[in-house]
């Protein structure tokens, strides 16, 4: 069983319903607390795991400087998390390296999801400080 298949099993055991979105069994989506999460293709690297919360906030010319600052601060304040502007929106990512020969655990998958949820909550809370500008 490959890493993606194992993660999908863990997601199911945690009560999620991951859906194959590419038809190839490499990209999956599931919902948590009203947001869509993605398990993204690892490009054949069985040690690499990437999750994302896509399109968490729209980017405009006016709010881009504030969002770039918040993205940087998010990376400093929440371990294992990074964010980026993809096309016209902010995405939050969690990238995980799994040691060679060890299988990713259900506890690790749960940690990833909880950390991403905390990052999203932090991001939105910090943006409230700029409510009039964003």
């Amino acid at each position: 069983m490959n890493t993606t298949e194992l993660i999908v099993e863990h997601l199911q055991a945690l009560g999620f319903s991951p859906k194959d979105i590419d038809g190839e069994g490499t990209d999956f989506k599931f919902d948590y607390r009203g947001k869509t999460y993605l398990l993204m293709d690892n490009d054949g690297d069985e040690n690499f795991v990437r999750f994302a919360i896509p399109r968490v906030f729209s980017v405009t010319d006016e709010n881009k400087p504030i969002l770039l600052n918040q993205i940087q601060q998010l990376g400093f304040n929440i371990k294992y998390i990074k964010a980026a502007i993809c096309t016209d929106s902010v995405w939050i990512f969690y990238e995980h390296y799994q040691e060679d020969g060890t299988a990713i655990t259900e506890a690790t998958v749960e940690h990833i999801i909880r950390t991403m949820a905390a990052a999203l909550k932090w991001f939105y809370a910090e943006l409230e400080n700029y409510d009039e500008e964003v």
Side-chain angles (χ1 to χ4, degrees):
M1 175 178 305
N2 69 32
T3 301
T4 300
E5 293 167 338
L6 185 57
I7 292 171
V8 168
E9 276 191 10
H10 292 326
L11 288 169
Q12 291 167 336
L14 290 166
F16 297 103
S17 299
K19 300 198 180 359
D20 184 347
I21 57 175
D22 66 354
E24 298 178 13
T26 59
D27 292 299
F28 290 82
K29 70 177 183 175
F30 60 97
D31 293 326
Y32 181 58
R33 296 185 177 172
K35 287 289 184 187
T36 297
Y37 285 60
L38 303 175
L39 168 60
M40 301 176 77
D41 187 0
N42 63 10
D43 294 321
D45 182 351
E46 290 299 307
N47 295 337
F48 180 69
V49 176
R50 178 185 286 155
F51 281 81
I53 307 172
R55 298 176 294 278
V56 300
F57 202 87
S58 293
V59 178
T60 65
D61 289 339
E62 293 78 31
N63 69 13
K64 191 172 186 176
I66 292 167
L67 293 174
L68 288 170
N69 181 58
Q70 291 310 114
I71 286 169
Q72 181 181 23
Q73 293 304 312
L74 178 63
F76 290 146
N77 286 288
I78 309 288
K79 292 179 182 179
Y80 310 108
I81 291 292
K82 68 180 184 180
I85 295 175
C86 299
T87 312
D88 60 354
S89 62
V90 175
W91 288 43
I92 294 176
F93 297 93
Y94 186 115
E95 294 181 344
H96 178 77
Y97 174 77
Q98 190 64 34
E99 282 291 325
D100 238 356
T102 61
I104 192 164
T105 66
E106 185 176 315
T108 300
V109 172
E110 182 177 2
H111 166 77
I112 290 169
I113 294 166
R114 289 182 183 275
T115 302
M116 293 181 74
L120 182 64
K121 183 177 179 178
W122 182 93
F123 183 78
Y124 286 147
E126 288 297 309
L127 282 179
E128 286 182 18
N129 295 331
Y130 297 102
D131 191 31
E132 295 169 4
E133 300 174 42
V134 186

